[in-house]
Amino acid sequence: MNKPDFAGAACPTPHQPKETVLLGHGSGGTLSRELIEQVFLPELGAVAPRSLDDAAIIETTGQEQGQRLALSTDSHVVEPLFFPGGDIGHLAVCGTVNDLAMVGARPLALTCGFILEEGLPFATLRQVLTSMRVAAEEAGIYLAAGDTKVVQRGSADKMFINTSGVGVVDQGVQISGANARPGDVIILSGTLGDHGITVLAAREGLGFETDLASDAAPLNHLVQAMLAAGTIHVLRDPTRGGLATSLVEISEQSQVSLLIEEDKLPVKPAVRAACEMLGFDPLFIANEGKLVAFVPPEDAETVLATMRKTRYGEDAAIIGRVLDAGKAQAQLQTAIGGTRLLDMLPGELLPRIC
């Protein structure tokens, strides 16, 4: 493979002025956290959620059998629109379905907002809509409403999609990034980095190819099978910022220290080779069809066995455990026996991959 020549792929920007929005503010890492905590939350005040989970839980009256509502929204700006294993439409449906699933919700319906650039071929739009229908059918959800805006040429990059979703959380299901407990076993549902490296390889002019396909998939059926098998404390899909950022977020939300083991992390050889060539760490590469679960030790083997019987959990593996409460810290035990502290992604590693 030839080393690709592209700008901005590994460009943390800690020293740039922060009075304007940077690409890194959309990374899902440290700058994204700063944007939320220093701009959005102070301005939006009491009307904004504080949990920082993937979806908000809404307590309502009149719900049957103790059910609660879950609500989430997400925007998708991936470039290119089509890539091995998926496209922007498939990604948009799966992304919001998974955000709902990560709080234990059963997704019910989605809304879709399209921003289309003048000149977009109808054939492209139809192909994306077909993918959305297929993904919605697999997830078992209803596309309840939509909206379309068209902007002038040059005002957008072909197509952006926003999806919002609503679901139901059943009585007794209590899943949050704040619920990790000492002794919890950490389970990863499959291989790391497939989506991020696939989209990167699909970009024109980068000069390298792989046989990888995006892992984008709706995970709601996998989550429901896991809930039927045992108790789940935490679920998170490690999208932007990758697994490392998700683990740091969870350690901070729950105020626990945790340890994962490098030699137990499933990574495909093609992803590992691409990361070594480009200087990336698979721990920070985005995934769109994987989840990490924190499970009480007495339920871990049962939940793991259940995951491995499913389409999207067949490569699931135990990768670590929660150590202690009171100190927020995520550590990696390296393959050679050392220990490394994990941190959130500081800037934008791979822009516009979701």
Side-chain angles (χ1 to χ4, degrees), residues 41-289:
L41 291 180
E43 294 296 332
L44 296 176
V47 300
R50 296 282 172 171
S51 71
L52 301 183
D53 286 325
D54 289 331
I57 302 296
I58 302 173
E59 303 288 348
T60 62
T61 58
Q63 292 293 310
E64 296 181 358
Q65 300 176 341
Q67 292 176 334
R68 292 149 290 153
L69 293 178
L71 185 65
S72 185
T73 190
D74 204 351
S75 296
H76 301 273
V77 297
V78 65
E79 191 280 323
L81 295 180
F82 301 93
F83 45 84
D87 56 53
I88 189 172
H90 182 258
L91 196 61
V93 172
C94 294
T96 295
V97 164
N98 291 346
D99 282 346
L100 294 168
M102 292 308 108
V103 295
R106 291 183 286 109
L108 299 177
L110 264 61
T111 66
C112 311
F114 296 86
I115 298 176
L116 308 178
E117 184 181 18
E118 182 185 24
L120 180 76
F122 281 135
T124 300
L125 180 57
R126 289 192 179 98
Q127 189 174 350
V128 168
L129 295 175
T130 297
S131 291
M132 296 181 75
R133 174 180 55 77
V134 171
E137 288 174 347
E138 181 180 359
I141 54 97
Y142 178 57
L143 298 179
D147 179 63
T148 303
K149 297 291 187 297
V150 179
V151 297
Q152 294 177 320
R153 291 178 188 269
S155 296
D157 189 0
K158 298 181 280 293
M159 180 188 304
F160 300 147
I161 302 177
N162 174 271
T163 45
S164 297
V166 63
V168 173
V169 182
D170 290 328
Q171 185 178 29
V173 176
Q174 295 290 344
I175 295 175
S176 170
N179 288 350
R181 299 290 181 266
D184 278 357
V185 174
I186 304 173
I187 302 175
L188 182 66
S189 66
T191 52
L192 290 174
D194 299 11
H195 176 76
I197 296 300
T198 297
V199 174
L200 185 64
R203 289 182 180 168
E204 294 181 1
L206 292 189
F208 79 101
E209 298 179 355
T210 80
D211 57 358
L212 287 171
S214 169
D215 60 2
L219 300 178
N220 53 317
H221 300 310
L222 169 61
V223 168
Q224 291 302 311
M226 294 168 65
L227 287 170
T231 299
I232 310 293
H233 286 160
V234 181
L235 289 172
R236 186 68 52 88
D237 53 343
T239 54
R240 294 173 305 160
L243 178 65
T245 297
S246 292
L247 293 176
V248 173
E249 289 176 343
I250 293 166
S251 71
E252 292 178 352
Q253 284 181 265
S254 295
Q255 287 297 297
V256 296
S257 63
L258 58 89
L259 178 72
I260 61 169
E261 299 178 52
E262 185 175 33
D263 58 4
K264 293 184 178 178
L265 296 175
V267 181
K268 291 179 178 175
V271 170
R272 193 176 298 282
C275 286
E276 289 176 354
M277 182 184 70
L278 299 168
F280 294 159
D281 186 336
L283 283 168
F284 292 96
I285 305 295
N287 316 273
E288 290 292 340

